Amino acid sequence: MSRTLALCFVFVGLTTACGGDKGSDANAAAVAEAEKVWQERCVTCHGADGSGNGPGAAALEVKPRSFKDPTWQSSVDNERIKKVIVEGGASVGLNAAMAPNPDLKDKPAVQEELAKKVRKLAQ
Ligand code: HEC
């Protein structure tokens, strides 16, 4: 590959990563908000690592499942995960202890990042 061509690739890479791309800024904000929501609202029951052992889970009649269960992971799609988060467990026939988060209804990017978080916790 010529030197000029190689430099050109580096330049394109840099402008994509840090150039004034509003889309990626907005996404970084969604990632940050999702992380905040996870820490502030979800960890209580689901546990920091998603295994379902948060302090709030002890008192629940139906315990949150472990997000680390590969069978469960492959049995649900992101649409369902997002529906449970926004509309609550009861909306899909799960226990109502999984409360709805209606303030996230108009924040699809945050919902998406929360779904990704739930997926990442499987690893
Ligand atoms: C008060 C405790 C509690 C809090 C807080 C909570 N959950 Fe849950 N969650 C549950 C319980 C209990 C279930 C399982 C309900 C069942 O299996 O019937 C559940 C289920 C789920 C499921 C579906 C799992 C499945 O079986 O399909 C997802 C996804 C989920 N929670 C994500 C979240 C996220 C993200 C948050 C934070 C926004 C959150 N939960 C906050 C208790 C909680």
Side-chain angles (χ1 to χ4, degrees):
M1 188 188 306
S2 80
R3 211 186 140 91
T4 321
L5 193 58
L7 278 175
C8 182
F9 276 122
V10 168
F11 181 72
V12 169
L14 283 176
T15 39
T16 315
C18 27
D21 178 355
K22 288 229 166 61
S24 76
D25 286 355
N27 198 52
V31 171
E33 188 172 346
E35 187 59 36
K36 189 165 183 275
V37 168
W38 171 257
Q39 296 297 342
E40 289 177 357
R41 303 185 202 170
C42 321
V43 163
T44 327
C45 295
H46 289 277
D49 70 347
S51 58
N53 62 356
L60 298 176
E61 212 166 292
V62 176
K63 310 290 180 208
R65 67 172 63 255
S66 173
F67 292 149
K68 299 190 180 305
D69 175 1
T71 312
W72 173 75
Q73 282 285 353
S74 56
S75 73
V76 289
D77 59 19
N78 281 12
E79 290 314 306
R80 173 181 151 120
I81 291 176
K82 290 188 277 186
K83 187 173 167 73
V84 171
I85 294 170
V86 177
E87 298 177 27
S91 73
V92 296
L94 291 177
N95 196 270
M98 173 58 213
N101 293 276
D103 60 310
L104 301 179
K105 196 172 170 38
D106 299 327
K107 298 181 175 176
V110 178
Q111 293 173 31
E112 190 62 37
E113 293 306 325
L114 276 169
K116 278 193 204 161
K117 176 90 191 169
V118 167
R119 297 300 193 190
K120 271 196 205 130
L121 289 166
Q123 288 143 24

